[in-house]
Amino acid sequence: MSKKGRLTKVFPGGNTAYGFYSFYDNIIEPDAARIFVIKGGPGVGKSTFMRRIGITMLEEGYDVEFHCCSSDNASLDGICIPEIGVAMLDGTAPHVVDPKNPGAVDEIIHLGDHWNERGLRGKKKEILAINKEVGRLFKHAYAFLAGAKLFLDEVESYYAESGAFNVGAFDRLVLELIHEIFEGKPRISENPRARRLFATAITPDGPVSHLETVVGHLDRRYIVSGDDGTGKTTLVRRLMEAALSRGYSITAFHCALNPFQVDHLVIHDLSIAVVNNVEPHIYLPKESDTVIDTMTCVDPVVNAACLAEKGAARGMYRQCMEQAVSFIRRAKHLHDEMEQYYVPFMDFAAIDARREKILQKVLDLAAEAKRPPR
């Protein structure tokens, strides 16, 4: 291969109103060619280990997914090379991964093999104290995220409560979209697959979106605009159900705050994305895109009291989000501090040598995937 591969960035887990929510099982299928599960403490080089292998495979011409960490903007929770069925996963808390098919598919890489255990035991008291405080900070972060969801639910309720939302007009809009996307197209599979991830996460730097890397290369995007409470996520969900019922495999990208809602949809066989165009994942339409405005299904809300209540609820939502992010940021700073207790006791030369051996395994798997079947 001569052309550099395409890099996609996603989040396999997120800090949500329901605590840490994981789609880790969706990084790659259990029957993959090889899944490397990397174990070890903070600061031992797990993310760097995966990133360097991922960059090498990009340069070799393979498309690579970087599965980013929602609690550390500079860190990776995993990488995936779909074309050859290979993934590497961080197997430490909060996303503990145990091999499902050890030996046959899964291989454990324990970077703890390369640390000075005696030296780390000398820092036991400090490490335990930081771990306890990090846990406390995340507990409060999740409480404020739960509060943010409650207030956002309030914001979303006003169009329905005021009678401004026209359900019939919305249903017609959805049916017209389904007809436009799927009419005349053959059924692709009797067993379509639904993969679930996050394109956006609530991080120490606030909400961060990698949506462009997910949908930017596709042939067409349907950009769904409209205020909160005007049916945008319902529209995305119904299109997802329509795709699956017609045999099309999809990837659903869930809401960073409420993981039970779907914000974005990719229909792979049609090279189409449906994008919920709202902060923090505002998406500027490209030439081939179609913009869908759900406000066409809404009458103006003229009740001054309702508008004031809605504005107050939105203000409280933003305050809760700001408080949650501040707790996550403080936890990240403490985690960085804890890494410094590990770094002096790591044999990074040995880790580099081990990474080169694993990279060669990955390259061998890539070569094997290109061979014709016997």
Side-chain angles (χ1 to χ4, degrees):
M1 293 187 181
S2 57
K3 184 180 176 182
K4 188 173 181 179
R6 185 180 70 251
L7 175 62
T8 301
K9 291 184 178 181
V10 294
F11 295 93
N15 301 307
T16 79
Y18 299 90
F20 182 79
Y21 200 93
S22 175
F23 288 121
Y24 233 61
D25 288 345
N26 286 252
I27 292 178
I28 198 166
E29 295 293 331
D31 59 351
R34 188 67 53 87
I35 300 174
F36 298 93
V37 180
I38 304 180
K39 302 282 188 176
V44 303
K46 300 186 298 296
S47 179
T48 301
F49 192 103
M50 295 185 287
R51 186 184 301 276
R52 289 183 178 174
I53 289 176
I55 289 171
T56 299
M57 297 308 291
L58 280 168
E59 292 169 348
E60 289 288 321
Y62 292 92
D63 293 346
V64 177
E65 296 174 351
F66 278 6
H67 289 257
C68 303
C69 176
S70 59
S71 298
D72 184 347
N73 301 78
S75 187
L76 296 180
D77 281 345
I79 65 170
C80 180
I81 312 165
E83 184 179 343
I84 61 174
V86 171
M88 293 185 177
L89 316 177
D90 181 341
T92 57
H95 29 64
V96 177
V97 177
D98 292 316
K100 294 181 176 64
N101 302 288
V105 174
D106 305 298
E107 178 177 337
I108 295 177
I109 304 169
H110 202 316
L111 298 188
D113 294 342
H114 309 293
W115 62 29
N116 180 337
E117 190 171 316
R118 183 175 180 181
L120 283 171
R121 284 179 179 173
K123 301 297 182 181
K124 175 181 176 180
K125 182 179 178 181
E126 293 87 346
I127 290 171
L128 290 177
I130 290 177
N131 264 325
K132 183 178 180 181
E133 179 63 5
V134 167
R136 186 189 74 84
L137 291 170
F138 271 110
K139 178 175 76 71
H140 289 292
Y142 296 145
F144 276 101
L145 289 176
K149 180 187 176 298
L150 286 174
F151 286 114
L152 187 58
D153 289 346
E154 283 290 299
V155 172
E156 293 176 346
S157 72
Y158 282 96
Y159 286 106
E161 286 183 354
S162 65
F165 186 67
N166 188 326
V167 176
F170 178 77
D171 287 342
R172 286 193 295 274
L173 173 64
V174 174
L175 287 173
E176 287 169 3
L177 275 174
I178 291 173
H179 180 83
E180 179 178 331
I181 293 172
F182 298 107
E183 182 67 18
K185 294 182 175 64
R187 185 177 185 86
I188 296 296
S189 170
E190 293 303 316
N191 297 291
R193 291 183 172 182
R195 190 186 190 202
R196 301 179 185 276
L197 295 164
F198 296 100
T200 303
I202 300 166
T203 79
D205 290 339
V208 170
S209 177
H210 295 307
L211 187 58
E212 174 62 25
T213 74
V214 171
V215 305
H217 66 286
L218 299 174
D219 291 344
R220 190 173 187 184
R221 286 148 295 275
Y222 288 84
I223 313 298
V224 186
S225 297
D227 198 4
D228 295 312
T230 60
K232 298 192 303 297
T233 57
T234 300
L235 185 151
V236 176
R237 175 178 55 79
R238 289 191 187 175
L239 289 175
M240 177 184 73
E241 292 167 352
L244 289 169
S245 69
R246 288 162 173 78
Y248 291 91
S249 293
I250 58 93
T251 300
F253 292 92
H254 288 244
C255 173
L257 181 63
N258 181 2
F260 299 104
Q261 289 185 341
V262 177
D263 270 343
H264 318 295
L265 172 69
V266 173
I267 309 172
H268 300 282
D269 291 307
L270 300 180
S271 193
I272 284 175
V274 184
V275 175
N276 181 1
N277 190 33
V278 66
E279 290 184 0
H281 33 78
I282 295 292
Y283 196 86
L284 296 177
K286 302 181 190 297
E287 187 175 344
S288 60
D289 295 344
T290 299
V291 177
I292 309 298
D293 188 358
T294 57
M295 296 301 289
T296 60
C297 305
V298 175
D299 297 323
V301 178
V302 296
N303 186 311
C306 280
L307 290 173
E309 291 168 5
K310 179 184 171 189
R314 191 180 294 280
M316 294 299 293
Y317 156 75
R318 288 173 174 159
Q319 287 184 42
C320 286
M321 287 292 289
E322 289 170 3
Q323 286 296 320
V325 168
S326 71
F327 279 112
I328 295 170
R329 186 181 301 119
R330 287 166 61 189
K332 161 58 165 71
H333 290 160
L334 276 176
H335 191 270
D336 290 346
E337 183 181 323
M338 183 162 56
E339 288 185 352
Q340 300 311 308
Y341 291 116
Y342 282 80
V343 170
F345 301 108
M346 297 304 302
D347 184 348
F348 287 109
I351 291 175
D352 287 343
R354 191 164 187 181
R355 186 183 67 248
E356 289 302 315
K357 289 181 180 179
I358 297 300
L359 172 60
Q360 189 56 55
K361 283 190 178 184
V362 174
L363 291 170
D364 289 345
L365 287 164
E368 187 174 322
K370 286 193 282 188
R371 293 179 195 146
R374 295 180 181 178

